[in-house]
Amino acid sequence: MQTGADSVRCFNPIFEEASNVVRERFPDTSTLWLARVDCDQHSDIASAISDQQISTLKLFRNGMMMKREYRGQRSVVAIADFIRQQQVHPIKELQSLEEVNTVDRSKRNIIGYFETKDSDNYHTFEKVANILRDDCTFLAAFGAVSESERIGGDNVIYKPVGENVPDMIYLGSLTNFDLTYVWSQDKCVPLVREITFENGEELTEEGIPFLILFHVKEDTESLEQFQQEVARQLISEKGSINFLHADCDKFRHPLLHIQKTPADCPVIAIDSFRHMYVFSDFKDLSIPGKIKQFVLDLHSGKLHREFHHGPDPTDSTPGQPEDTGEEVASSPPESSFQKLAPSETRYTILNRDRDEL
């Protein structure tokens, strides 16, 4: 996509040449299309795809727009190589069931057992794997290799992260793409995701606030408690706020913004992309409804209002002083993670000093 005369003039010939290179490598136009939209002339399409006012490359699979856009170098070679990588088949075929015991359990694995590749069940599995290939490892076994796992017919299982975590079986119809995709996405994309400098930009681009647990990397106990309480209290808020966890040492600067240091971790905060708000105390996480009220107070504007004008007359906000009857005006810390959002210089990202986050 492109908008603005300068952006069009600079990128048009590069994209055109990259398209020619790709067409030579992959002449089958039934499986790969490269399209160009002038956002100045087609603003309706542009606004539905991206709110950025610069040329943007988006990837679509099976009619669905992928969250991860192309962020690499703007050159013919780099773009053509990216498309070549996307053409690599997303499923690894297992030659024996013994290979299942050697899968990397630090990653999320989805394994399908099919009688044949030429089946509607496997074609659905392929579509799902194509869309979620960046979030899960997909494997498949066929025929005699998979026979012992197909007692009740074709079968798909999910192997979660961790050596001693039990497998989960897909119980829906494998011919139903929507059901298979929703189940797989739920397994491949965790409710609480880790934010890093590598994925921070794409998470920010999703455009919804962050609820972040800052914790020491080795402190898995607080992370597990946070994950449990998010699942218990905040599952209904999924889609209106991103649940994340961050390494205290790597994200020292956002902690300083809220007057905290790694020594204070674990710390929970909301970044609304305007301001940052601190949850009262990590120990309060297990109090029924406490963390949910914190999130609801963000949506209602109460956190912002009370930071600027002091506590509401009738109650106090989690993380804020008790109501003393006096109006205490203050200003919440500015958003720190907003700096990770795509900018006019997004494609010179290697020159950006991320230590200034």
Coordinates of all heavy atoms in Angstrom, one line a residue, residues 3-82:
T3 N 0.8 5.8 0.1 CA 0.1 7.1 0.1 C 1.1 8.1 0.1 O 2.2 8.0 0.7 CB -0.9 7.2 1.3 OG1 -1.6 8.4 1.2 CG2 -0.2 7.1 2.6
G4 N 0.8 9.3 -0.5 CA 1.8 10.3 -0.5 C 2.7 10.2 -1.8 O 3.2 9.2 -2.1
A5 N 2.9 11.3 -2.5 CA 3.6 11.3 -3.8 C 5.0 10.8 -3.6 O 5.5 10.0 -4.4 CB 3.5 12.7 -4.4
D6 N 5.7 11.3 -2.6 CA 7.1 10.9 -2.4 C 7.2 9.4 -2.1 O 8.1 8.8 -2.7 CB 7.7 11.7 -1.2 CG 7.9 13.2 -1.5 OD1 7.9 13.5 -2.7 OD2 8.0 14.0 -0.5
S7 N 6.4 8.9 -1.3 CA 6.4 7.5 -1.0 C 6.2 6.6 -2.2 O 6.8 5.6 -2.5 CB 5.4 7.1 0.1 OG 5.4 5.7 0.4
V8 N 5.2 7.1 -3.0 CA 4.9 6.3 -4.3 C 6.1 6.3 -5.2 O 6.4 5.3 -5.8 CB 3.6 6.9 -5.0 CG1 3.4 6.3 -6.3 CG2 2.4 6.7 -4.1
R9 N 6.6 7.5 -5.4 CA 7.7 7.6 -6.4 C 8.9 6.8 -6.0 O 9.6 6.2 -6.8 CB 8.2 9.1 -6.5 CG 7.2 9.9 -7.4 CD 7.9 11.2 -7.8 NE 8.2 12.0 -6.6 CZ 7.3 12.9 -6.2 NH1 6.1 13.1 -6.8 NH2 7.6 13.7 -5.1
C10 N 9.2 6.7 -4.7 CA 10.4 6.0 -4.2 C 10.2 4.5 -4.2 O 11.1 3.8 -4.6 CB 10.7 6.4 -2.7 SG 11.3 8.1 -2.6
F11 N 9.0 4.1 -3.9 CA 8.8 2.6 -3.7 C 8.2 1.9 -4.9 O 8.5 0.7 -5.1 CB 7.9 2.4 -2.5 CG 7.8 0.9 -2.1 CD1 8.9 0.2 -1.8 CD2 6.5 0.3 -2.0 CE1 8.8 -1.2 -1.5 CE2 6.4 -1.0 -1.6 CZ 7.6 -1.7 -1.4
N12 N 7.5 2.6 -5.7 CA 6.9 2.0 -6.9 C 7.8 1.2 -7.7 O 7.6 0.0 -8.0 CB 6.2 3.1 -7.8 CG 4.7 3.0 -7.6 OD1 4.1 2.1 -7.1 ND2 4.0 4.0 -8.2
P13 N 8.9 1.7 -8.2 CA 9.8 0.9 -9.0 C 10.4 -0.3 -8.3 O 10.7 -1.3 -8.9 CB 10.9 2.0 -9.4 CG 10.8 3.1 -8.4 CD 9.4 3.1 -8.0
I14 N 10.7 -0.1 -7.0 CA 11.2 -1.3 -6.2 C 10.2 -2.4 -6.2 O 10.5 -3.6 -6.4 CB 11.6 -0.8 -4.8 CG1 12.8 0.2 -4.9 CG2 12.0 -2.0 -4.0 CD1 13.1 0.8 -3.5
F15 N 9.0 -2.0 -5.9 CA 7.9 -3.1 -5.8 C 7.7 -3.7 -7.1 O 7.5 -4.9 -7.3 CB 6.6 -2.4 -5.2 CG 5.6 -3.4 -4.9 CD1 5.6 -4.2 -3.8 CD2 4.5 -3.5 -5.8 CE1 4.6 -5.2 -3.6 CE2 3.4 -4.5 -5.5 CZ 3.5 -5.3 -4.4
E16 N 7.7 -2.9 -8.2 CA 7.5 -3.4 -9.5 C 8.5 -4.4 -9.9 O 8.3 -5.5 -10.5 CB 7.5 -2.2 -10.5 CG 7.0 -2.6 -11.9 CD 5.5 -2.8 -12.0 OE1 4.8 -2.2 -11.3 OE2 5.2 -3.7 -12.8
E17 N 9.8 -4.1 -9.7 CA 10.9 -5.0 -10.0 C 10.8 -6.2 -9.2 O 11.1 -7.3 -9.7 CB 12.3 -4.3 -9.8 CG 13.4 -5.1 -10.4 CD 14.7 -4.3 -10.3 OE1 14.7 -3.1 -10.1 OE2 15.8 -5.0 -10.5
A18 N 10.5 -6.1 -7.9 CA 10.4 -7.3 -7.0 C 9.3 -8.2 -7.5 O 9.4 -9.4 -7.5 CB 10.1 -6.8 -5.6
S19 N 8.2 -7.6 -8.0 CA 7.1 -8.4 -8.5 C 7.5 -9.2 -9.7 O 7.2 -10.4 -9.9 CB 5.9 -7.4 -8.9 OG 5.5 -6.7 -7.8
N20 N 8.4 -8.6 -10.6 CA 8.9 -9.3 -11.8 C 9.8 -10.5 -11.4 O 9.7 -11.5 -12.0 CB 9.6 -8.3 -12.7 CG 8.7 -7.3 -13.3 OD1 7.5 -7.5 -13.5 ND2 9.3 -6.1 -13.6
V21 N 10.6 -10.2 -10.4 CA 11.5 -11.3 -9.9 C 10.7 -12.4 -9.3 O 10.9 -13.6 -9.6 CB 12.5 -10.7 -8.8 CG1 13.3 -11.9 -8.2 CG2 13.4 -9.7 -9.5
V22 N 9.7 -12.1 -8.5 CA 8.8 -13.1 -7.9 C 8.1 -13.9 -9.0 O 7.9 -15.1 -8.9 CB 7.9 -12.5 -6.9 CG1 6.8 -13.5 -6.4 CG2 8.7 -11.9 -5.7
R23 N 7.6 -13.2 -10.0 CA 6.8 -13.8 -11.0 C 7.7 -14.9 -11.8 O 7.2 -15.9 -12.2 CB 6.3 -12.8 -12.0 CG 5.2 -13.3 -12.9 CD 4.6 -12.2 -13.8 NE 3.9 -11.2 -13.0 CZ 4.3 -10.0 -12.8 NH1 5.4 -9.5 -13.5 NH2 3.6 -9.1 -12.1
E24 N 8.9 -14.6 -11.9 CA 9.8 -15.5 -12.6 C 10.1 -16.7 -11.8 O 10.1 -17.9 -12.2 CB 11.2 -14.8 -12.9 CG 11.1 -13.7 -14.0 CD 12.4 -13.0 -14.2 OE1 13.4 -13.4 -13.5 OE2 12.5 -12.1 -15.0
R25 N 10.2 -16.5 -10.4 CA 10.5 -17.6 -9.5 C 9.2 -18.5 -9.3 O 9.3 -19.7 -9.1 CB 11.0 -17.1 -8.2 CG 12.4 -16.5 -8.2 CD 12.8 -16.1 -6.8 NE 14.1 -15.4 -6.8 CZ 14.7 -14.9 -5.8 NH1 14.2 -15.1 -4.6 NH2 15.9 -14.3 -5.8
F26 N 8.1 -17.8 -9.2 CA 6.8 -18.5 -8.9 C 5.8 -18.2 -10.0 O 4.9 -17.3 -9.8 CB 6.3 -18.1 -7.5 CG 7.3 -18.3 -6.4 CD1 8.0 -17.2 -5.9 CD2 7.6 -19.6 -5.9 CE1 9.0 -17.4 -4.9 CE2 8.6 -19.8 -4.9 CZ 9.2 -18.7 -4.4
P27 N 5.9 -18.8 -11.1 CA 5.0 -18.5 -12.3 C 3.5 -18.8 -12.1 O 2.7 -18.4 -12.8 CB 5.6 -19.2 -13.4 CG 6.3 -20.4 -12.8 CD 6.9 -19.8 -11.5
D28 N 3.3 -19.7 -11.1 CA 1.9 -20.1 -10.8 C 1.1 -19.0 -10.1 O 1.1 -18.9 -8.9 CB 1.9 -21.4 -9.9 CG 0.4 -22.0 -9.8 OD1 -0.5 -21.3 -10.3 OD2 0.3 -23.0 -9.1
T29 N 0.4 -18.2 -10.9 CA -0.4 -17.1 -10.4 C -1.6 -17.5 -9.6 O -2.3 -16.6 -9.0 CB -0.7 -16.1 -11.5 OG1 -1.5 -16.8 -12.5 CG2 0.5 -15.5 -12.2
S30 N -1.9 -18.7 -9.6 CA -3.1 -19.2 -8.8 C -2.8 -19.3 -7.3 O -3.8 -19.3 -6.5 CB -3.6 -20.5 -9.3 OG -2.7 -21.5 -9.1
T31 N -1.6 -19.3 -6.9 CA -1.2 -19.4 -5.5 C -0.6 -18.2 -4.9 O -0.5 -18.1 -3.7 CB -0.2 -20.6 -5.3 OG1 1.0 -20.4 -6.1 CG2 -0.9 -21.9 -5.8
L32 N -0.2 -17.2 -5.8 CA 0.5 -16.0 -5.3 C 0.1 -14.8 -6.1 O 0.2 -14.8 -7.4 CB 2.0 -16.3 -5.4 CG 2.9 -15.0 -5.0 CD1 2.7 -14.7 -3.5 CD2 4.4 -15.3 -5.3
W33 N -0.4 -13.8 -5.4 CA -0.7 -12.5 -6.1 C 0.1 -11.4 -5.4 O 0.2 -11.4 -4.2 CB -2.2 -12.3 -6.0 CG -3.1 -13.1 -6.9 CD1 -3.4 -14.4 -6.7 CD2 -3.7 -12.7 -8.0 NE1 -4.2 -14.9 -7.7 CE2 -4.4 -13.9 -8.5 CE3 -3.8 -11.5 -8.8 CZ2 -5.2 -13.8 -9.7 CZ3 -4.6 -11.5 -9.9 CH2 -5.3 -12.6 -10.4
L34 N 0.5 -10.5 -6.2 CA 1.1 -9.2 -5.7 C 0.2 -8.1 -6.2 O 0.0 -8.0 -7.4 CB 2.5 -9.0 -6.1 CG 3.6 -9.8 -5.4 CD1 3.7 -11.2 -5.9 CD2 5.0 -9.1 -5.4
A35 N -0.3 -7.3 -5.3 CA -1.2 -6.2 -5.6 C -0.7 -4.9 -5.1 O 0.0 -4.9 -4.1 CB -2.6 -6.6 -5.1
R36 N -1.2 -3.8 -5.7 CA -0.8 -2.5 -5.2 C -2.1 -1.6 -5.1 O -2.9 -1.7 -6.0 CB 0.2 -1.9 -6.3 CG 0.8 -0.6 -5.9 CD 1.9 -0.2 -6.8 NE 1.5 -0.2 -8.2 CZ 2.4 -0.4 -9.2 NH1 3.6 -0.7 -9.0 NH2 1.9 -0.4 -10.4
V37 N -2.2 -0.9 -4.0 CA -3.3 -0.1 -3.8 C -2.8 1.4 -3.6 O -2.0 1.6 -2.7 CB -4.2 -0.5 -2.6 CG1 -5.3 0.5 -2.3 CG2 -4.7 -1.9 -2.8
D38 N -3.3 2.3 -4.4 CA -3.0 3.7 -4.2 C -4.0 4.3 -3.1 O -5.2 4.4 -3.4 CB -3.1 4.5 -5.5 CG -2.6 5.9 -5.3 OD1 -2.8 6.5 -4.2 OD2 -2.0 6.4 -6.3
C39 N -3.5 4.5 -1.9 CA -4.3 4.9 -0.8 C -4.9 6.3 -1.0 O -5.9 6.7 -0.3 CB -3.6 4.8 0.5 SG -3.1 3.1 0.9
D40 N -4.3 7.1 -1.8 CA -4.9 8.4 -2.1 C -6.2 8.3 -2.9 O -7.1 9.0 -2.7 CB -3.9 9.3 -2.8 CG -2.7 9.7 -1.9 OD1 -2.9 9.8 -0.7 OD2 -1.6 10.0 -2.5
Q41 N -6.2 7.4 -3.8 CA -7.4 7.2 -4.6 C -8.4 6.2 -4.0 O -9.6 6.3 -4.3 CB -6.9 6.6 -6.0 CG -6.1 7.6 -6.8 CD -5.8 7.0 -8.2 OE1 -6.5 6.1 -8.7 NE2 -4.8 7.5 -8.8
H42 N -7.9 5.3 -3.1 CA -8.8 4.3 -2.5 C -8.7 4.4 -1.0 O -8.2 3.4 -0.4 CB -8.4 2.9 -3.1 CG -8.5 2.8 -4.6 ND1 -9.7 2.7 -5.2 CD2 -7.5 2.8 -5.5 CE1 -9.5 2.6 -6.5 NE2 -8.1 2.6 -6.7
S43 N -9.1 5.5 -0.5 CA -8.9 5.7 1.0 C -9.8 4.7 1.8 O -9.4 4.4 2.9 CB -9.3 7.1 1.3 OG -10.6 7.4 0.9
D44 N -10.9 4.2 1.2 CA -11.7 3.3 2.0 C -11.0 2.0 2.2 O -11.0 1.4 3.3 CB -13.0 3.0 1.2 CG -12.8 2.6 -0.2 OD1 -11.7 2.9 -0.8 OD2 -13.7 2.0 -0.8
I45 N -10.3 1.5 1.2 CA -9.5 0.3 1.3 C -8.3 0.5 2.2 O -8.0 -0.3 3.1 CB -9.0 -0.2 -0.1 CG1 -10.2 -0.5 -1.0 CG2 -8.1 -1.4 0.1 CD1 -9.7 -0.9 -2.4
A46 N -7.7 1.6 2.1 CA -6.5 2.0 2.9 C -6.8 2.0 4.4 O -6.1 1.4 5.2 CB -5.9 3.3 2.5
S47 N -8.0 2.6 4.7 CA -8.3 2.8 6.2 C -8.7 1.4 6.7 O -8.6 1.2 7.9 CB -9.5 3.8 6.3 OG -10.6 3.4 5.6
A48 N -9.2 0.5 5.9 CA -9.6 -0.8 6.4 C -8.4 -1.7 6.7 O -8.5 -2.6 7.5 CB -10.6 -1.5 5.4
I49 N -7.3 -1.4 6.0 CA -6.1 -2.2 6.1 C -5.1 -1.7 7.0 O -4.5 -2.4 7.8 CB -5.5 -2.4 4.7 CG1 -6.5 -3.3 3.8 CG2 -4.1 -3.1 4.8 CD1 -6.0 -3.5 2.4
S50 N -4.9 -0.3 7.0 CA -3.9 0.3 7.9 C -4.2 1.7 8.1 O -4.8 2.4 7.3 CB -2.5 0.2 7.1 OG -1.5 0.9 7.9
D51 N -3.8 2.2 9.4 CA -4.0 3.6 9.7 C -2.7 4.4 9.5 O -2.6 5.5 9.9 CB -4.5 3.7 11.1 CG -3.5 3.1 12.2 OD1 -2.5 2.6 11.7 OD2 -3.9 3.2 13.4
Q52 N -1.7 3.8 8.9 CA -0.5 4.4 8.7 C -0.5 5.2 7.4 O -0.9 4.6 6.4 CB 0.7 3.4 8.7 CG 0.8 2.7 10.0 CD 1.0 3.6 11.2 OE1 1.8 4.5 11.1 NE2 0.3 3.3 12.3
Q53 N 0.1 6.4 7.4 CA 0.0 7.2 6.2 C 1.4 7.1 5.4 O 1.9 8.1 4.9 CB -0.2 8.6 6.6 CG -1.6 8.8 7.2 CD -2.7 8.3 6.3 OE1 -2.8 8.8 5.1 NE2 -3.6 7.5 6.8
I54 N 2.0 5.9 5.4 CA 3.1 5.7 4.6 C 3.0 4.4 3.9 O 2.1 3.6 4.2 CB 4.4 5.6 5.4 CG1 4.3 4.5 6.5 CG2 4.7 7.0 6.1 CD1 5.5 4.4 7.3
S55 N 3.8 4.1 2.8 CA 3.7 2.9 2.1 C 3.9 1.7 3.0 O 4.9 1.6 3.8 CB 4.7 2.9 0.9 OG 6.0 3.1 1.4
T56 N 3.0 0.7 2.9 CA 3.0 -0.4 3.8 C 2.8 -1.7 3.0 O 2.0 -1.8 2.1 CB 1.9 -0.3 4.8 OG1 2.0 1.0 5.5 CG2 1.9 -1.4 5.9
L57 N 3.5 -2.8 3.4 CA 3.4 -4.1 2.8 C 2.6 -5.0 3.7 O 3.1 -5.3 4.8 CB 4.7 -4.6 2.4 CG 5.5 -4.0 1.2 CD1 6.8 -4.6 1.1 CD2 4.7 -4.1 0.0
K58 N 1.5 -5.5 3.3 CA 0.7 -6.4 4.1 C 0.6 -7.7 3.4 O 0.5 -7.8 2.2 CB -0.7 -5.8 4.3 CG -0.8 -4.5 5.2 CD -0.6 -4.8 6.6 CE -0.9 -3.6 7.5 NZ -0.8 -3.8 8.9
L59 N 0.6 -8.8 4.3 CA 0.5 -10.1 3.8 C -0.9 -10.7 4.0 O -1.4 -10.6 5.2 CB 1.6 -11.0 4.4 CG 1.6 -12.5 4.0 CD1 2.1 -12.6 2.5 CD2 2.6 -13.2 4.9
F60 N -1.5 -11.3 3.0 CA -2.8 -12.0 3.2 C -2.6 -13.5 2.9 O -2.0 -13.8 1.9 CB -3.8 -11.4 2.2 CG -4.2 -10.0 2.5 CD1 -3.4 -8.9 2.2 CD2 -5.5 -9.7 3.2 CE1 -3.8 -7.6 2.5 CE2 -5.9 -8.4 3.5 CZ -5.0 -7.4 3.2
R61 N -3.3 -14.3 3.7 CA -3.3 -15.7 3.4 C -4.8 -16.2 3.5 O -5.5 -15.9 4.5 CB -2.5 -16.5 4.5 CG -1.0 -16.3 4.4 CD -0.3 -17.2 5.3 NE 1.2 -17.0 5.2 CZ 1.9 -17.5 4.3 NH1 1.4 -18.3 3.3 NH2 3.2 -17.3 4.3
N62 N -5.2 -16.9 2.5 CA -6.6 -17.4 2.5 C -7.6 -16.3 2.8 O -8.6 -16.5 3.5 CB -6.7 -18.6 3.5 CG -5.8 -19.7 3.1 OD1 -4.9 -20.0 3.9 ND2 -6.0 -20.4 2.0
G63 N -7.3 -15.1 2.3 CA -8.3 -14.0 2.4 C -8.2 -13.3 3.8 O -8.9 -12.3 4.0
M64 N -7.2 -13.7 4.7 CA -7.1 -13.1 6.0 C -5.8 -12.3 6.0 O -4.7 -12.8 5.6 CB -7.0 -14.2 7.1 CG -8.3 -15.0 7.2 SD -8.2 -16.3 8.5 CE -8.0 -15.2 10.0
M65 N -5.9 -11.1 6.5 CA -4.7 -10.2 6.7 C -3.9 -10.7 7.9 O -4.4 -10.8 9.0 CB -5.1 -8.8 6.8 CG -3.9 -7.8 6.8 SD -4.4 -6.1 6.8 CE -5.1 -5.9 8.5
M66 N -2.6 -10.9 7.7 CA -1.8 -11.3 8.8 C -1.4 -10.1 9.6 O -1.2 -9.0 9.1 CB -0.5 -12.0 8.2 CG -0.7 -13.2 7.4 SD -1.4 -14.6 8.3 CE -3.2 -14.4 7.9
K67 N -1.3 -10.3 10.9 CA -0.9 -9.2 11.8 C 0.5 -8.7 11.5 O 0.7 -7.5 11.7 CB -1.0 -9.6 13.3 CG -2.5 -9.8 13.8 CD -2.5 -10.1 15.2 CE -3.9 -10.2 15.8 NZ -4.0 -10.6 17.2
R68 N 1.4 -9.6 11.2 CA 2.7 -9.2 11.0 C 2.9 -8.7 9.5 O 2.7 -9.4 8.6 CB 3.7 -10.4 11.2 CG 3.7 -10.8 12.7 CD 4.6 -12.1 12.8 NE 4.7 -12.5 14.2 CZ 3.9 -13.3 14.8 NH1 2.9 -13.8 14.2 NH2 4.1 -13.6 16.1
E69 N 3.2 -7.4 9.4 CA 3.5 -6.9 8.1 C 5.0 -7.0 7.8 O 5.8 -7.3 8.6 CB 3.1 -5.4 8.0 CG 3.9 -4.5 8.9 CD 3.5 -3.0 8.8 OE1 2.3 -2.8 9.0 OE2 4.3 -2.2 8.5
Y70 N 5.3 -6.8 6.5 CA 6.7 -6.8 6.1 C 7.4 -5.6 6.7 O 7.0 -4.4 6.5 CB 6.9 -6.8 4.6 CG 8.3 -6.7 4.1 CD1 9.1 -7.8 4.2 CD2 8.8 -5.5 3.6 CE1 10.4 -7.8 3.8 CE2 10.1 -5.4 3.2 CZ 10.9 -6.6 3.3 OH 12.3 -6.5 2.9
R71 N 8.5 -5.8 7.5 CA 9.3 -4.7 8.1 C 10.7 -4.7 7.7 O 11.6 -4.1 8.3 CB 9.2 -4.8 9.6 CG 7.7 -4.8 10.1 CD 7.6 -5.0 11.6 NE 6.3 -5.1 12.1 CZ 5.5 -4.1 12.3 NH1 5.9 -2.9 12.2 NH2 4.2 -4.3 12.7
G72 N 11.1 -5.5 6.7 CA 12.5 -5.6 6.3 C 12.9 -4.5 5.4 O 12.2 -3.4 5.2
Q73 N 14.1 -4.7 4.8 CA 14.7 -3.7 4.0 C 13.9 -3.4 2.7 O 13.3 -4.4 2.1 CB 16.1 -4.1 3.6 CG 16.9 -3.1 2.8 CD 18.3 -3.6 2.4 OE1 18.5 -4.8 2.5 NE2 19.2 -2.8 2.0
R74 N 13.8 -2.2 2.3 CA 13.0 -1.8 1.1 C 13.9 -2.0 -0.2 O 14.4 -1.0 -0.7 CB 12.5 -0.4 1.2 CG 11.4 -0.2 2.2 CD 10.1 -1.0 1.8 NE 9.1 -1.0 2.7 CZ 8.0 -0.2 2.6 NH1 7.8 0.6 1.5 NH2 7.0 -0.3 3.5
S75 N 14.2 -3.2 -0.5 CA 15.0 -3.5 -1.7 C 14.4 -4.7 -2.5 O 13.6 -5.5 -1.9 CB 16.4 -3.9 -1.3 OG 16.5 -5.2 -0.7
V76 N 14.7 -4.8 -3.7 CA 14.2 -5.9 -4.6 C 14.6 -7.2 -4.0 O 13.7 -8.1 -3.9 CB 14.7 -5.7 -6.0 CG1 14.3 -6.9 -6.9 CG2 14.1 -4.4 -6.6
V77 N 15.8 -7.4 -3.6 CA 16.3 -8.7 -3.1 C 15.6 -9.1 -1.8 O 15.2 -10.2 -1.7 CB 17.9 -8.6 -2.9 CG1 18.3 -9.9 -2.2 CG2 18.6 -8.4 -4.3
A78 N 15.5 -8.1 -0.9 CA 14.9 -8.4 0.4 C 13.5 -8.8 0.3 O 13.0 -9.7 0.9 CB 15.1 -7.2 1.3
I79 N 12.7 -8.0 -0.5 CA 11.3 -8.3 -0.7 C 11.1 -9.6 -1.4 O 10.2 -10.4 -1.0 CB 10.6 -7.2 -1.5 CG1 10.6 -5.9 -0.7 CG2 9.2 -7.5 -1.8 CD1 10.2 -4.6 -1.4
A80 N 11.8 -9.9 -2.4 CA 11.7 -11.2 -3.1 C 12.1 -12.3 -2.2 O 11.4 -13.4 -2.3 CB 12.6 -11.2 -4.4
D81 N 13.1 -12.2 -1.4 CA 13.5 -13.2 -0.5 C 12.4 -13.5 0.6 O 12.2 -14.6 1.0 CB 14.8 -12.9 0.2 CG 15.4 -14.0 1.0 OD1 15.6 -15.1 0.4 OD2 15.6 -13.9 2.2
F82 N 11.8 -12.4 1.0 CA 10.7 -12.5 2.0 C 9.5 -13.4 1.4 O 9.0 -14.3 2.1 CB 10.2 -11.1 2.4 CG 8.9 -11.2 3.2 CD1 8.9 -11.5 4.6 CD2 7.7 -10.8 2.6 CE1 7.7 -11.5 5.3 CE2 6.5 -10.8 3.3 CZ 6.5 -11.2 4.7

